[in-house]
Amino acid sequence: MTSSITRRRVLQTGVAAAALSTLPHFAMGQANPVVKLRILETTDLHVNIFPYDYYRDAADDTVGLARTATLVKGARSEAKNSLLFDNGDLIQGSPLGDFVAYRQGMKKGDVHPMVAAMNVLNYDCGTLGNHEFNYGLDFLQNALGAAKFPLVCANVIKANGETLQKPWLILDREFVDEAGAKQKIKVGVIGFVPPQIVQWDKANLDGKATTIDIVDAANKHVPDLKKAGADIVVALCHSGIAGGERKGGEENAALHLAKVDGIDVILTGHQHFVFPGGKEFNNIPGVDVKAGTLHGKPAVMAGFWGSHLGLIDLDLTKDGNAWKVANFRTEARPIYDRVDRKVVAKVDSDATVMAAAQAGHDATLKYVREPVGTTAVPIHSYYSLVADDASVKLVAEAQSWYVADQLKASAFKDLPILSAAAPFKAGGRGGPNYFTEIKPGPLAIKDMADIYIYPNTIRVVKITGAQVREWLERSAGIYNQIDVAKGGEQELINPKFPAYNFDVIAGVQYKIDPTQASRYDDNGKVVNADAHRIKDLTYNGKPVADDQQFLVVTNNYRAGGGGNFPGADGTTMVFEAPDLTRDAIMRYIIEKKEVAPKADGSWSLAVPSGVTMTFTTGPNASAYQPAGIKVEKMGDAPEGFVKYKIAG
Ligand code: MN
Ligand code: MG
């Protein structure tokens, strides 16, 4: 008892002394007021409210706004003044989101469970993410209509020339300064979304909305925001952090946005990374990963699915009549730690947040457990980046089956149908349990969503044999170049290359040789014009000719230019299906009653001798062997992953 009182006294004295020494005018009153303002960010929540993984139908301590909410309340209690913002990607991305969109529906006046949960937390403002557009504009308006917080977005323009949302607004706030006096401060808030939404959600936006470049939109609106009296400006930027020259139209534009005069604070997102921290951002000029700054301005990225709370503490001082950011610190506070390779929750769930969405959660549990059919084989993605794989092949099979039926009376009925599909759950930033794993036996709706997590719709492109080869070359960029001369142990997979861009094309046979340089960089640009990784590309046992014609089944993201794949830039599309890929997979299984997707080695890696090629996967991989190659477990890898080598 005594010692704790003593310690508190010492602390209080220490704080007062520090304040006096750095702020000598304090005791004299209001001459140089200092306002400490804490800015809080959630981003990319994707309808993750409960700490629950609906795909595994099990509790999950790594997700959920109910957990982040406890961090919010803690962070608020530590601060005199705070504002809470959300950075978008709210209404799509979990089976709860799908349940609302596809089973329950959203009428005007309905309250989306994500919004109900957020309303409990008194957000000050939010912005739109790209996934807000996945279910169409009506759904978006109805879903967000009941939000008790405003939404801003400056770069989506309706057909009538107005922005879809208010581009910006001013929060007129009264904060308490360090001397205990009230200070009126106008906080300007402006929002941005990747302009690529018009390609990714073409079917929902064509003729209804266009987009403009993020930095152009900022240059257009920030001066107005300042003229309207904003003392400081916070950018809600649903866009990530990337280096390189600005060309305009960047998907990840936060670093360029930081150069815009008048913007003081940048909340980022979309990439599902963490900032400050996050080794993905090392060595980008202008980015300070430790301090959490972009060109010297404070910035955060709060992970995804509620994994982190972004936090920026600002010291605002008055410079004449103008408030300015005199000092700051940034932080990304996690809802869990990994201790001895195990996930350990750092906070309990907030009961009020869960109560607000309880009905939706319960209905979703019922929905995801509905049976669809059975599988005769295990369907998992543990080796999907190194070998032919049943989880990808099931998608490819279902797509071909669906399109063959849809096009059987069309002008294209005699063209060979190939089917492109990529592993979506393949570890990476999702963690060591972020894999598909379904045991032989019954398949339920939760398994459909596990196999195909995105609400993509089916598209068909008509392309040449040469384009098929280039498409595969683009995919093969997932591999680091293996140096045979150097030998020894070498990592096979490039961690910056998203698994969803590793398209496997079923219907042709090929080998991938990772000892060759990649023809394409991570953005789909040809960087090694003479390099070829795709070998022995055949169709029906014969080499694919450059001028041969093929139909390739893919999705709206890819066919519209997502990932910049050769032959998939929006101009080659010959069929736009009304159905979701996931629904096609579901129908396929219902029709067949039992499926047995085959990993038949239609593609394989060329394995050089004298080099140990390694990759990481989830701990449960040890229950299975990949098709066509042999792998051996080497030991534990960081963050709960397990390291393997390709044994031949
Ligand atoms: Mn997102
Ligand atoms: Mg996004």
Side-chain angles (χ1 to χ4, degrees):
M1 198 64 155
T2 320
S3 79
S4 88
I5 288 172
T6 312
R7 198 168 65 216
R8 196 180 306 151
R9 236 176 236 151
V10 169
L11 278 173
Q12 280 170 349
T13 315
V15 168
L20 281 172
S21 66
T22 53
L23 304 162
H25 300 289
F26 235 42
M28 298 166 55
Q30 313 302 312
N32 279 327
V34 175
V35 169
K36 288 186 177 290
L37 172 61
R38 176 166 276 188
I39 307 269
L40 302 172
E41 179 205 42
T42 58
T43 190
D44 295 273
L45 291 171
H46 288 280
V47 213
N48 284 281
I49 302 164
F50 284 70
Y52 202 83
D53 180 341
Y54 297 102
Y55 304 115
R56 290 185 184 274
D57 206 350
D60 183 348
D61 286 327
T62 68
V63 303
L65 179 64
R67 296 289 168 87
T68 338
T70 304
L71 292 183
V72 169
K73 290 184 176 174
R76 278 174 169 163
S77 75
E78 298 158 5
K80 278 201 187 82
N81 311 294
S82 63
L83 295 170
L84 175 61
F85 298 109
D86 182 78
N87 230 31
D89 274 3
L90 286 172
I91 58 175
Q92 178 280 333
S94 79
L96 172 51
D98 283 343
F99 168 75
V100 175
Y102 300 125
R103 183 62 65 93
Q104 181 185 283
M106 263 276 114
K107 297 184 306 295
K108 208 172 176 158
D110 289 350
V111 184
H112 193 288
M114 188 75 245
V115 169
M118 294 174 79
N119 281 344
V120 170
L121 289 173
N122 298 315
Y123 276 82
D124 290 283
C125 191
T127 191
L128 303 178
N130 52 299
H131 285 288
E132 261 64 80
F133 298 87
N134 288 163
Y135 304 128
L137 288 179
D138 288 344
F139 185 91
L140 184 162
Q141 302 290 8
N142 290 341
L144 299 179
K148 289 184 183 155
F149 51 92
L151 291 153
V152 290
C153 182
N155 67 327
V156 182
I157 320 291
K158 291 188 290 191
N160 68 3
E162 290 169 16
T163 51
L164 180 70
Q165 299 287 328
K166 246 188 243 173
W168 51 265
L169 57 74
I170 287 184
L171 301 170
D172 258 306
R173 291 291 191 266
E174 197 170 69
F175 297 127
V176 179
D177 71 19
E178 289 302 281
K182 287 180 176 157
Q183 299 287 348
K184 287 199 153 95
I185 296 187
K186 291 179 190 290
V187 179
V189 189
I190 183 166
F192 308 96
V193 71
Q196 284 75 7
I197 57 168
V198 290
Q199 289 134 45
W200 299 337
D201 272 307
K202 192 169 188 293
N204 293 329
L205 295 177
D206 238 4
K208 295 179 185 146
T210 56
T211 52
I212 56 174
D213 173 72
I214 289 173
V215 175
D216 287 348
N219 284 330
K220 180 171 166 20
H221 289 290
V222 171
D224 294 342
L225 193 42
K226 294 302 284 185
K227 247 180 260 161
D231 292 304
I232 62 160
V233 174
V234 177
L236 308 185
C237 176
H238 185 88
S239 174
I241 303 165
E245 287 281 297
R246 177 176 174 240
K247 297 189 183 81
E250 272 80 15
E251 175 182 347
N252 293 307
L255 189 55
H256 302 299
L257 186 66
K259 279 194 171 164
V260 174
D261 275 346
I263 291 178
D264 297 290
V265 172
I266 301 122
L267 307 188
T268 73
H270 182 59
Q271 286 168 313
H272 294 200
F273 292 143
V274 178
F275 189 80
K279 52 187 184 303
E280 297 83 3
F281 305 121
N282 283 334
N283 307 316
I284 302 178
V287 180
D288 188 328
V289 176
K290 272 211 184 101
T293 59
L294 304 176
H295 295 304
K297 292 179 183 173
V300 282
M301 189 186 297
F304 60 104
W305 306 343
S307 68
H308 292 72
L309 176 67
L311 196 150
I312 298 177
D313 281 329
L314 301 172
D315 286 5
L316 303 175
T317 57
K318 218 165 181 182
D319 196 2
N321 278 328
W323 288 94
K324 63 163 197 186
V325 177
N327 216 337
F328 61 82
R329 61 173 279 274
T330 74
E331 182 186 345
R333 224 172 246 192
I335 62 168
Y336 71 97
D337 271 338
R338 218 172 261 285
V339 181
D340 294 334
R341 305 176 61 76
K342 294 237 161 57
V343 168
V344 179
K346 289 178 77 91
V347 280
D348 289 329
S349 295
D350 182 273
T352 57
V353 167
M354 290 197 295
Q358 188 71 49
H361 175 69
D362 293 344
T364 300
L365 288 179
K366 238 177 107 191
Y367 167 73
V368 299
R369 290 167 184 166
E370 288 175 20
V372 176
T374 61
T375 174
V377 299
I379 299 168
H380 67 84
S381 62
Y382 290 117
Y383 303 113
S384 56
L385 301 183
V386 297
D388 190 19
D389 166 271
S391 74
V392 173
K393 276 299 172 64
L394 174 60
V395 174
E397 279 176 17
Q399 289 181 163
S400 297
W401 169 86
Y402 174 90
V403 165
D405 183 58
Q406 293 276 326
L407 296 185
K408 63 178 183 255
S410 78
F412 307 109
K413 64 182 192 312
D414 296 325
L415 285 179
I417 295 174
L418 309 180
S419 191
F424 289 156
K425 294 179 73 182
R429 70 189 84 156
N433 292 321
Y434 193 61
F435 290 90
T436 298
E437 184 182 1
I438 302 163
K439 304 211 162 69
L443 289 167
I445 285 177
K446 65 189 176 198
D447 302 313
M448 301 304 100
D450 196 24
I451 291 162
Y452 205 95
I453 57 176
Y454 297 110
N456 290 334
T457 42
I458 290 189
R459 296 286 182 271
V460 179
V461 295
K462 180 166 145 295
I463 59 174
T464 64
Q467 287 172 312
V468 169
R469 182 179 289 109
E470 291 302 303
W471 190 311
L472 292 169
E473 290 283 2
R474 166 77 179 96
S475 291
I478 196 170
Y479 299 118
N480 295 320
Q481 186 175 9
I482 300 299
D483 187 342
V484 180
K486 191 172 139 211
E489 198 180 303
Q490 294 177 33
E491 243 178 80
L492 183 58
I493 314 280
N494 167 6
K496 283 190 183 159
F497 190 107
Y500 58 75
N501 277 341
F502 182 62
D503 268 359
V504 166
I505 298 188
V508 283
Q509 286 72 43
Y510 55 97
K511 275 196 157 16
I512 303 178
D513 182 358
T515 68
Q516 303 302 304
S518 178
R519 260 178 93 69
Y520 290 86
D521 70 7
D522 295 353
N523 299 315
K525 218 177 92 194
V526 175
V527 281
N528 294 297
D530 299 329
H532 296 278
R533 286 182 162 180
I534 301 302
K535 303 278 153 83
D536 306 333
L537 177 64
T538 61
Y539 174 72
N540 273 348
K542 293 195 197 93
V544 169
D546 280 355
D547 60 354
Q548 217 169 336
Q549 298 287 310
F550 294 98
L551 296 178
V552 179
V553 191
T554 179
N555 58 54
N556 57 306
Y557 170 77
R558 180 74 75 242
N564 293 318
F565 273 59
D569 59 358
T571 63
T572 53
M573 208 147 20
V574 294
F575 178 64
E576 299 185 36
D579 292 304
L580 291 180
T581 310
R582 191 188 295 150
D583 287 339
I585 300 168
M586 191 146 80
R587 267 192 238 166
Y588 176 70
I589 296 168
I590 290 169
E591 190 100 346
K592 301 272 165 195
K593 294 192 179 68
E594 182 177 86
V595 292
K598 254 205 246 31
D600 57 3
S602 65
W603 74 275
S604 61
L605 271 172
V607 182
S609 53
V611 186
T612 304
M613 299 196 297
T614 66
F615 64 98
T616 61
T617 183
N620 289 2
S622 58
Y624 308 97
Q625 271 291 324
I629 54 169
K630 284 205 180 70
V631 297
E632 257 171 52
K633 190 168 158 178
M634 295 177 77
D636 290 345
E639 290 168 12
F641 284 94
V642 181
K643 184 159 95 170
Y644 277 73
K645 68 175 174 189
I646 293 179

